[in-house]
Amino acid sequence: MISWTQRIDRSVKIDDFVTNNETKISWSEGVKIWLNREFKIEYNSNFIKQSLYRPFTKYYLYFNAQLNERRYQFPLIFPTPETEKENFIISIAGVGDRKGFGCFISKFIIALDFAFEKAQCFPFYTYDEDGTNRKENITDWSLEQFQNYYQDPTITKWDIFYYTYGLLHHPTYRERYAANLKRELPRIPYAPDFRGFADAGKQLADLHLNYEQQPEYSLKFIENDQVPLNLRVEKMKLNKDKTQIIYNEFLTLNGIPPEAFQYRLGNRSALDWVIDQYQVKIDKRSGIVNDPNRLDDEQYIVRLIGQVITVSLETVKIVNNLPDFGLSEWTKP
């Protein structure tokens, strides 16, 4: 619980009343407003959620209306643990993004600057804040348009969702509409091969949602027998030709295929994101240590590297085999 001594004189300004010690609390304007209302913020474990801070980088997030000032629509997208088991979002680069268009599917809350600037998220479902009143975010009208265009009554809303995810990965789509994608949200055209894109999108979704269940790419472990066995990460780095990850003083991972760097999210490859994020960092203002090492699973980061390489290679393979984009008719935004 966040508590404070009650002010006797309410004419005293908040900024003169609080202790500005960021090792204890960061007094944002929003938190000051709650203090001014004499509102007590009590810890509740139900507010703890998993989130994706950066690609393939999970964090626990305390998701609370008083302590998170910009929650956007996420209280209606992942309101309860049950909804996190069935709902997915497709996140894309927002309008004005300077890092290049990209997209990623998730079953967790993602950060605003996840990998793209001003990330926008489109869920399959939305709910009320208590998790009731589930609604599909693809309308019946849209479903009818797709079924009529392709003369296929078996098309489902999930098919359209995966079709969209597959289409947004197509290099020709990204190149042809690069200027549009910088200034407006994507429009979804009718590609010639609906099923081809829907099937590919579903394969991509399975890879990206379940990256921790993918097989590890076989790397050669080069161990330094001059130092004790150690799987703890401080800060990893690539060697000059990007064929090795110097994991720590004890271990080097050798045999990274160049194709692994072709799967990019924003201005970095998926593997570069992992190398960048999985390091020990100390926040200068709060002094909080961010340590990605897991005491209960010392091999997690080594395993994750192999899995992300697999995800990257398989993603590149699927994208390279997407159906022809063709000249196609636009749907409405």
Side-chain angles (χ1 to χ4, degrees):
M1 178 176 70
I2 296 176
S3 61
W4 38 74
T5 304
Q6 185 175 5
R7 290 179 296 169
I8 297 174
D9 182 0
R10 291 190 59 82
S11 66
V12 176
K13 295 180 180 180
I14 290 292
D15 288 332
D16 297 331
F17 178 70
V18 300
T19 301
N20 289 312
N21 184 345
E22 294 200 15
T23 63
K24 295 181 178 180
I25 183 172
S26 177
W27 286 104
S28 67
E29 290 305 312
V31 175
K32 290 177 184 178
I33 290 171
W34 290 110
L35 170 59
N36 199 44
R37 296 174 182 173
E38 297 185 2
F39 185 92
K40 285 188 176 181
I41 303 174
E42 297 185 339
Y43 171 78
N44 185 334
S45 61
N46 292 329
F47 292 146
I48 297 177
K49 295 179 178 288
Q50 284 195 322
S51 67
L52 276 181
Y53 176 65
R54 294 292 184 262
F56 310 105
T57 309
K58 288 196 295 187
Y59 275 55
Y60 283 107
L61 168 69
Y62 193 77
F63 197 60
N64 169 272
Q66 287 76 47
L67 298 178
N68 301 111
E69 295 178 15
R70 294 182 177 89
R71 302 199 301 164
Y72 303 102
Q73 296 299 309
F74 279 119
L76 307 180
I77 296 173
F78 297 119
T80 65
E82 290 71 28
T83 59
E84 294 172 353
K85 297 175 183 177
E86 67 178 6
N87 202 15
F88 302 149
I89 58 171
I90 295 175
S91 63
I92 62 168
V95 174
D97 174 80
R98 295 166 296 177
K99 297 179 180 179
F101 182 79
C103 62
F104 193 77
I105 193 168
S106 176
K107 51 187 174 183
F108 304 119
I109 295 170
I110 70 164
L112 179 63
D113 290 323
F114 165 74
F116 334 108
E117 292 180 333
K118 309 178 187 72
Q120 300 255 342
C121 299
F122 298 88
F124 188 85
Y125 294 118
T126 57
Y127 311 80
D128 289 345
E129 288 201 37
D130 61 358
T132 62
N133 193 27
R134 187 182 79 177
K135 296 179 181 178
E136 295 165 333
N137 209 26
I138 295 174
T139 64
D140 293 338
W141 178 88
S142 296
L143 175 63
E144 183 180 0
Q145 298 303 305
F146 272 89
Q147 289 177 338
N148 289 341
Y149 183 87
Y150 289 105
Q151 293 296 295
D152 184 354
T154 67
I155 291 174
T156 68
K157 292 181 180 180
W158 276 111
D159 291 333
I160 297 172
F161 190 77
Y162 292 128
Y163 166 89
T164 300
Y165 195 54
L167 188 90
L168 292 176
H169 279 83
H170 202 291
T172 303
Y173 173 86
R174 295 185 179 188
E175 292 169 10
R176 183 177 298 173
Y177 304 113
N180 302 74
L181 293 170
K182 287 182 179 179
R183 61 176 183 262
E184 62 184 13
L185 295 177
R187 300 189 182 195
I188 306 303
Y190 296 118
D193 184 358
F194 175 86
R195 288 294 174 187
F197 276 101
D199 291 345
K202 190 171 184 179
Q203 293 175 49
L204 289 168
D206 180 66
L207 276 172
H208 301 159
L209 289 167
N210 303 306
Y211 65 90
E212 291 176 308
Q213 283 73 55
Q214 302 305 317
E216 297 176 63
Y217 183 82
S218 181
L219 295 169
K220 182 180 179 181
F221 287 24
I222 303 175
E223 301 175 356
N224 181 358
D225 58 10
Q226 302 300 310
V227 298
L229 188 152
N230 178 20
L231 293 180
R232 178 176 172 78
V233 160
E234 292 294 333
K235 184 175 182 179
M236 296 180 282
K237 63 180 181 179
L238 287 163
N239 71 341
K240 193 170 183 179
D241 65 3
K242 294 188 175 184
T243 59
Q244 295 181 342
I245 294 175
I246 302 168
Y247 185 85
N248 61 18
E249 189 179 4
F250 168 75
L251 180 63
T252 296
L253 304 175
N254 184 54
I256 301 171
E259 295 81 9
F261 296 96
Q262 293 178 17
Y263 174 41
R264 301 183 66 81
L265 291 159
N267 57 6
R268 289 179 176 157
S269 71
L271 188 57
D272 282 320
W273 279 114
V274 171
I275 294 169
D276 175 75
Q277 290 298 308
Y278 285 83
Q279 60 174 288
V280 177
K281 299 178 183 177
I282 301 176
D283 184 76
K284 293 180 180 178
R285 293 185 301 175
S286 67
I288 294 173
V289 178
N290 182 358
D291 188 342
N293 296 282
R294 299 190 178 187
L295 296 178
D296 61 334
D297 188 358
E298 294 181 346
Q299 297 184 17
Y300 176 79
I301 299 175
V302 172
R303 186 167 65 249
L304 178 66
I305 290 169
Q307 290 167 329
V308 169
I309 290 175
T310 295
V311 169
S312 300
L313 296 176
E314 291 301 312
T315 296
V316 170
K317 187 185 300 182
I318 293 169
V319 169
N320 287 342
N321 286 284
L322 284 169
D324 289 339
F325 182 67
L327 293 171
S328 49
E329 180 182 343
W330 288 105
T331 65
K332 292 185 178 180

